[in-house]
Amino acid sequence: MKAWIASFAVCALALVAAPALARAWQVDSAHSTLTFTNTYQAVAYTGQFRTFTASIDYDPADLAKAKFDVSVDITSLDTQNSERDSTALGADFFDAAKFPKARFVTTAFRQAANGDVTAAGVLTLRGVSKPVVLTVEFVPHGDAATLDVTAHVKRLDFGIGSGQWSDPAMIGADVAVHGHLTLDAMQH
Amino acid sequence: MPLRSTDTGWGALVRAFHWAIALLIVLQAVLGLTMVQLGVTPEKVRVFALHKSIGLGILALVLLRIAWRLSERRPADPAGTPRWQRRAAHLAQLALYVLMVAIPLSGWWFNSAANAPLTWFGMLQVPSLTGGYDPLWKPRALLVHQSLFWLLVAVLSVHVGAALWHHFKQRDDVLRRMLSGKSRGGGG
């Protein structure tokens, strides 16, 4: 009888407590990518940051508690061109020696009437913090999920390739960033 | 001035090809040798783009020139030229045709392996020969490009030296008929 009451209490507590916690997810790094597309001399190219960590709290039914906190290792840049990579990490661009990490933290999630979710947040890149908006596509399947986020980042807002490199005909001004995350539910 | 070559002189089209390509090769060599010493600036990127565009232009001109040349006769060698000299001259000319195709191709190959953008004067996007970044073949393609260039310099020294020797020492029409299309003895 006591055991029965105890288990009932635990279940009841779990039912009450669960909606209060946004669901926490673990990123499966091996199946997650952070890529971007841009133009160089008016020719499109794709790059990626091979190393990043993300803390993801997300429940589509409770966006008020959702939170993304992403930290990117700038030195893990790879655009499949060694000269371009070393130039991009230099002082004129990412200045990775001084700013080896970028960070994006969400501030608020919104759901439009058609169901589309966007996340407002602050991107800190090369020592500059600016608001950036992500589109969020979250597809749960059981204890796993995929999360696709897209943002448009104006590189000159963050002083990446300013001055002599600011000409968008040489390097595109608008960088489309795309995160594809494979998530596993964390055990509470 | 006939368009086609005759027994005694080169036709106008062959001469146009010859001198246009000669001029472009000199320009290309100067660009190639100086651009590699520039610091990383937008200027350097533009000079590289120009070198690539001119190289593609030379390749196209040389292919047209070869097609035209195959449909033509060649003027007779000066009477009394020793057999070994004819052989050497024709062999050098054949080598020049091979190099004028191989050097732009190796540059295109190197550019492809480096995954660098390639357009023809920003107007026409030129496809990659390697289907993306190829760090294994990239240094080899560069070595081939540079080695073939120095081979070109060597063969051109023979070609130009022989032309000048014919003109100033032998006092025959070998150089004159490439300049004006006419032999001194009339005809052509």
Side-chain angles (χ1 to χ4, degrees), chain A residues 89 91 94-101 126-127:
Chain A
L89 294 177
F94 284 104
D95 200 0
K98 228 191 256 179
F99 307 104
K101 297 270 183 199
R126 204 182 189 270

Side-chain angles (χ1 to χ4, degrees), chain A residues 111-174:
Chain A
Q111 186 152 31
N114 65 358
D116 289 353
V117 176
T118 53
V122 175
L123 175 63
T124 303
L125 178 58
R126 204 182 189 270
V128 177
S129 295
K130 293 253 178 185
V132 164
V133 175
L134 302 183
T135 63
V136 178
E137 263 183 80
F138 180 85
V139 180
H141 17 85
D143 278 346
T146 57
L147 175 64
D148 284 276
V149 295
T150 304
H152 287 269
V153 176
K154 303 238 174 288
R155 65 177 177 91
L156 292 171
D157 285 357
F158 298 90
I160 293 174
S162 55
Q164 62 175 350
W165 294 103
S166 58
D167 180 4
M170 180 72 77
I171 302 166
D174 187 87

Side-chain angles (χ1 to χ4, degrees), chain A:
Chain A
M1 186 68 172
K2 267 188 183 167
W4 187 84
I5 291 174
S7 31
F8 177 81
V10 167
C11 284
L13 196 68
L15 279 172
V16 173
L21 284 169
R23 206 164 177 200
W25 300 88
Q26 193 155 23
V27 179
D28 178 358
S29 302
H31 299 102
S32 298
T33 54
L34 181 60
T35 56
F36 61 88
T37 53
N38 184 230
T39 56
Y40 175 51
Q41 294 179 66
V43 177
Y45 71 96
T46 301
Q48 65 172 317
F49 292 98
R50 293 195 175 275
T51 310
F52 64 97
T53 57
S55 143
I56 305 291
D57 294 318
Y58 194 83
D59 179 350
D62 187 10
L63 292 182
K65 300 234 164 40
K67 190 162 184 87
F68 299 165
D69 187 339
V70 183
S71 180
V72 180
D73 178 2
I74 292 296
T75 62
S76 71
L77 173 73
D78 181 5
T79 69
Q80 295 284 290
N81 175 329
S82 52
E83 284 93 4
R84 183 161 60 199
D85 290 349
S86 57
T87 302
L89 294 177
D92 282 350
F93 295 92
F94 284 104
D95 200 0
K98 228 191 256 179
F99 307 104
K101 297 270 183 199
R103 192 169 174 209
F104 177 78
V105 183
T106 56
T107 48
F109 285 71
R110 273 194 54 205
Q111 186 152 31
N114 65 358
D116 289 353
V117 176
T118 53
V122 175
L123 175 63
T124 303
L125 178 58
R126 204 182 189 270
V128 177
S129 295
K130 293 253 178 185
V132 164
V133 175
L134 302 183
T135 63
V136 178
E137 263 183 80
F138 180 85
V139 180
H141 17 85
D143 278 346
T146 57
L147 175 64
D148 284 276
V149 295
T150 304
H152 287 269
V153 176
K154 303 238 174 288
R155 65 177 177 91
L156 292 171
D157 285 357
F158 298 90
I160 293 174
S162 55
Q164 62 175 350
W165 294 103
S166 58
D167 180 4
M170 180 72 77
I171 302 166
D174 187 87
V175 183
V177 182
H178 180 221
H180 173 75
L181 278 67
T182 302
L183 306 174
D184 295 310
M186 278 209 215
Q187 306 302 320
H188 291 292

